[in-house]
Amino acid sequence: MLRVGLTGDLGSGKSTVARMFAERGAVLLSSDEMGRAMMQPGQPVYAAIVERFGREVIAGDGSLDRGALARMAFSDGRVEELNAIVHPAVIAEQARQIKKLARKHPDAIVIVESALLFTTKHGDSGQSGQPWHDRFDRIVLVTAPEEQKIARFVERAAAGRLLDPEERATLEADARARLAMQTANDAHAAECLVIRNDGDLVALLQRVSAVWRELCQVAQFEP
């Protein structure tokens, strides 16, 4: 089995790249999806978040108000408090699923999509986590110019709505603040297979296909 970490800043297009790899036969594990599942009512992670951040982060239907939680975490400088709750649980679940897949599909290429692959300080024990090179055999880094990343973030947040100038400016400022906290990727680029997402989908498909062929060669089977 080949274990591949897939990372990239907010708005880089890593989720699009992840889907392209899945279409080529990769087994995809999304850290975001795992985290969302663990943040549902009744889950230990949900309970720990409410205990730490207070009932202000609970929406009217009992679920977490993710917007309120994000504002509290990012605006109040409490991101690491949130990460210390969520990351160990997500990393432990990734390890469990990869171990299970290795028994059933030893020739698989498993891609773990994670925005904070290089920056997380929390392993599955709640202490300092394993270095990324102990968890993965290869890392794929998706990059894009900053203005494109910001534009993609704003477009996703707008969800088809027409934004007024004030709301657009607020979202752009939010994107810049988040990107300022995601500085580790460029420092590790030399250790990664880099996919630059600065053109159209055709160009991106070509770059993803080239990296997929390389991963298949490493995994010692033909695409």
Side-chain angles (χ1 to χ4, degrees):
M1 171 179 285
L2 188 69
R3 305 165 303 164
V4 180
L6 174 63
T7 193
D9 292 340
L10 170 148
S12 63
K14 64 183 176 297
S15 294
T16 300
V17 170
R19 287 193 297 270
M20 291 177 176
F21 279 132
E23 290 167 358
R24 283 155 178 75
V27 178
L28 179 62
L29 301 179
S30 169
S31 298
D32 282 350
E33 290 182 4
M34 289 182 189
R36 281 194 291 270
M38 293 174 178
M39 293 164 74
Q40 296 303 308
Q43 298 297 317
V45 168
Y46 172 96
I49 290 172
V50 172
E51 181 179 358
R52 176 61 63 91
F53 288 87
R55 299 192 65 82
E56 296 87 350
V57 299
I58 300 179
D61 63 358
S63 66
L64 284 178
D65 184 334
R66 294 176 63 85
L69 180 60
R71 287 190 295 273
M72 192 176 293
F74 286 96
S75 300
D76 298 346
R78 302 180 66 184
V79 173
E80 279 306 315
E81 290 182 54
L82 180 60
N83 290 346
I85 296 170
V86 179
H87 287 189
V90 170
I91 291 171
E93 178 62 15
Q94 289 170 358
R96 187 191 71 80
Q97 291 193 27
I98 289 173
K99 185 176 181 179
K100 182 178 179 181
L101 284 164
R103 291 195 297 267
K104 292 186 175 181
H105 307 286
D107 294 331
I109 296 178
V110 178
I111 293 184
V112 176
E113 180 188 356
S114 174
L116 303 177
L117 190 150
F118 293 120
T119 55
T120 185
K121 302 174 183 178
H122 310 283
D124 59 7
S125 65
Q127 304 298 320
S128 177
Q130 289 183 309
W132 65 263
H133 49 76
D134 286 343
R135 295 174 54 209
F136 302 107
D137 304 302
R138 292 291 187 278
I139 302 293
V140 175
L141 171 64
V142 184
T143 67
E146 181 161 320
E147 291 308 314
Q148 285 190 7
K149 290 186 285 192
I150 293 170
R152 289 169 184 153
F153 172 83
V154 171
E155 181 180 3
R156 184 169 64 238
R161 295 181 297 111
L162 183 63
L163 301 175
D164 61 48
E166 183 177 355
E167 187 176 8
R168 180 174 294 276
T170 298
L171 287 171
E172 289 177 350
D174 185 19
R176 293 183 192 281
R178 296 187 187 209
L179 286 169
M181 301 177 68
Q182 298 178 355
T183 58
N185 289 336
D186 288 343
H188 288 274
E191 302 169 279
C192 303
L193 299 170
V194 177
I195 296 176
R196 187 161 180 80
N197 183 17
D198 57 355
D200 57 23
L201 279 177
V202 173
L204 183 60
L205 276 167
Q206 292 172 342
R207 293 166 184 169
V208 169
S209 294
V211 170
W212 176 249
R213 287 193 294 270
E214 184 167 349
L215 293 174
C216 288
Q217 290 173 358
V218 173
Q220 297 181 339
F221 70 91
E222 294 298 324

